[in-house]
Each structure stands twice: as C-alpha cells, then as structure tokens.
Amino acid sequence: MLLIPCPWCGPRNQIEFTYGGDATVQRPGNDAPEAAWEAFVYMRDNPSGPHDELWLHSAGCRSWFKLRRDTRTHDILGSARMGDELGGESP
Amino acid sequence: MSDQDRIASGIPVDPHAGPAPLVLAPIAIATAWNVQGDPTRAPFSDEVENLFGVRVPTVANTTVRGGTLLALWLGPRSWLLVHAAGAEASSSLMDFEAKRDALNAHGGALFDVSASRVAFTIRGAHAATVLAKNCPLDFHLRAFPVGGCAQSLFGHVNALFYRPEASSFTMMVARSFTRDAWDTLRASAAQYGGDVAPPP
Ligand SMILES: [Zn+2]
C-alpha cells in the first residue's frame, strides 16, 4: 500500500487515488502523421526506476497531479501540482 | 429506540459506559450549495463574499464559518456551503437563481446540491476510533484539527468529514448510500454501545 502525497491534501492512502498513466507523454500537433498519433495513444515505455506519472485524488480533492515513483521500490520521490515541475533529478 | 430496535441494531448497552460515550444520529441538511471558481481571481472571491458573507477557504481541507453558514473546502476550485436545518432563517443561502446568475457573471458557478447528501453526527470519546475502522484518514488532532474537513472513503463509499469539536464529527455521503454508510457505522460502533438513533 502506498502513502501518496497529494500536493493539496498531503499524504493519503493509495485507495483514495486513481492512476492516470505516464505524465511525460506529449500530445502531437493536429496535423501530425498517423504514426505519431498511434505512438501517443498506445506506445509507452516500461521504465525500471523513477517514473513520472499522473494521478487523480479521486476520493479526495478530485485534483490531477504529477507523482514521481520508483517502479522497482515504490519509493515516492516527489509530487507536484499540474503546471508545476517535479523537483529533484529527472528520471 | 425500542428494545426491539436496539436488539435488531446489534448495539449492546454498556452499563459502565457513562453518559453517551458514543452518539450516532442523522442530521438534517437544510441547504447545501456547491460553489466553483478560481479563488485567485479577485472578482470571483469578492463576489462570493458579497453574496454569502464569507471568503471561501483557500487552505486545503479547512472550513470557514459565517454565522449559521459553513464553507467547506472540497478542492482547489470547489467548496460546499452548508446551512444546517433548524438554524435561523437569516441564512444567506436563499434566492438561489439570483446568486447563481451573479456568480456566473463573475466567472464562478453555483449548484444546488441540497438533496444530494445525507449527514450523520458521530460524537463521543470513541468517535475517531469508530470512523478509523472504515476510513484511511488520520483522525489524530495533529493531522485533522478541529474545524478541519476532508474527503475520503468510508467503507467503499465516498464521504466528506468535518470536525466541529475534538470528539465530534459530521460525515456526509451521497443519499443513495445512506443505508450502506449507516449500517457500516452501526457495525463499527457496536462494541462501544451508546445512543444510536433509528436508521434514516
Ligand atoms: Zn487531494
């Protein structure tokens, strides 16, 4: 069980949250080729180590935010509000 | 509560418990309005104060009281204004449509959600323990001070908690989950006895 630090509410139990996927994926431009859209929709890395993710505090303040989590150890390395940068070293 | 009800509720009566070690009861909510908007924009927050006489709290999980009105922080752009039933009619939660239009004109939104939630009071020395059995929130006063509020889960039901006093909580859940929340609450409280109002 993870203790996830919501940037608004502070540390809360994992069961209050919904996972929202890779936070580093960039939406392609409207005129981007089909391959770019396919990559945007379907293709994800499977990193072993720190991973920037989106999470929703679904049972709490209903806010989306960014979380940096180590996929090997489940260590939480930081969280940030949308629009703010995750601190520390980039993965 | 009749003896039959008490037996049916499964709540044992503890003769050593003293006066009301635990009180569980439904509370009537007269009015509950959801305010939404960006609190960093002065036209919005000024208009909220103008309409309701309170500035909505911008610190997460805190409340502001203005007379009989309670403003609870729900999210960075969302608040619940609650007016308890039985409180004086001088509440500012009147003339919904005029206030909604005024708030719309200042970049905000207003929704009447009076019928959407039911509220329970959980009072007494064991109140925090009873809630903690089914909720992952930290109910220690350090983490959940008097006057604080928080949304979380109670069992598998989304719930909003407010702490008016150190040993007193108000829990609000969606109306369709009334029986679920009440039964969970009653089962959690069973070992402590106390006064339990009939199911809502
Ligand atoms: Zn939150």
Side-chain angles (χ1 to χ4, degrees), chain B residues 28-193:
Chain B
I29 299 173
T31 317
W33 289 356
N34 177 217
V35 177
Q36 296 191 16
D38 182 350
T40 63
R41 292 184 61 252
F44 166 74
S45 47
D46 290 349
E47 185 63 10
V48 169
E49 186 173 18
N50 175 38
L51 292 172
F52 303 110
V54 295
R55 287 193 87 81
V56 286
T58 52
V59 177
N61 298 301
T62 61
T63 63
V64 170
R65 190 173 271 289
T68 58
L69 180 73
L70 182 68
L72 301 106
W73 187 93
L74 298 181
R77 293 182 179 204
S78 183
W79 299 266
L80 191 67
L81 306 182
V82 177
H83 183 231
E88 281 176 44
S90 63
S91 162
S92 47
L93 296 194
M94 296 196 296
D95 306 322
F96 172 78
E97 284 174 15
K99 285 177 176 163
R100 178 197 59 198
D101 293 346
L103 215 50
N104 285 167
H106 291 82
L110 187 66
F111 305 96
D112 186 348
V113 293
S114 304
S116 77
R117 286 180 170 92
V118 292
F120 302 110
T121 180
I122 302 101
R123 283 197 308 274
H126 301 297
T129 318
V130 166
L131 293 180
K133 283 188 187 184
N134 291 286
C135 177
L137 284 175
D138 184 351
F139 288 106
H140 193 284
L141 277 165
R142 266 197 312 262
F144 199 137
V146 171
C149 68
Q151 294 170 100
S152 183
L153 293 159
F154 187 72
H156 58 264
V157 177
N158 286 76
L160 167 62
F161 299 91
Y162 165 59
R163 187 174 210 163
E165 295 163 47
S167 60
S168 174
F169 293 89
T170 302
M171 179 173 86
M172 287 178 240
V173 299
R175 184 169 295 278
S176 53
F177 288 107
T178 305
R179 284 301 297 267
D180 184 308
W182 179 256
D183 288 347
T184 308
L185 204 52
R186 205 172 55 173
S188 308
Q191 75 182 93
Y192 301 111

Side-chain angles (χ1 to χ4, degrees), chain B residues 1-11 186 198-199:
Chain B
M1 178 180 275
S2 71
D3 286 347
Q4 190 129 29
D5 284 340
R6 196 175 286 281
I7 291 163
S9 74
I11 309 283
R186 205 172 55 173

Side-chain angles (χ1 to χ4, degrees), chain A residues 48-84:
Chain A
S48 173
H51 188 220
D52 287 0
E53 306 172 332
L54 295 174
W55 285 77
L56 171 67
H57 195 186
S58 42
C61 65
R62 271 85 171 168
S63 298
W64 284 98
F65 63 95
K66 300 180 202 169
L67 188 80
R68 184 167 296 162
R69 179 181 64 95
D70 191 311
T71 59
R72 292 165 302 185
T73 61
H74 282 311
D75 284 344
I76 306 285
L77 305 171
S79 68
R81 296 174 184 184
M82 299 304 288
D84 291 348

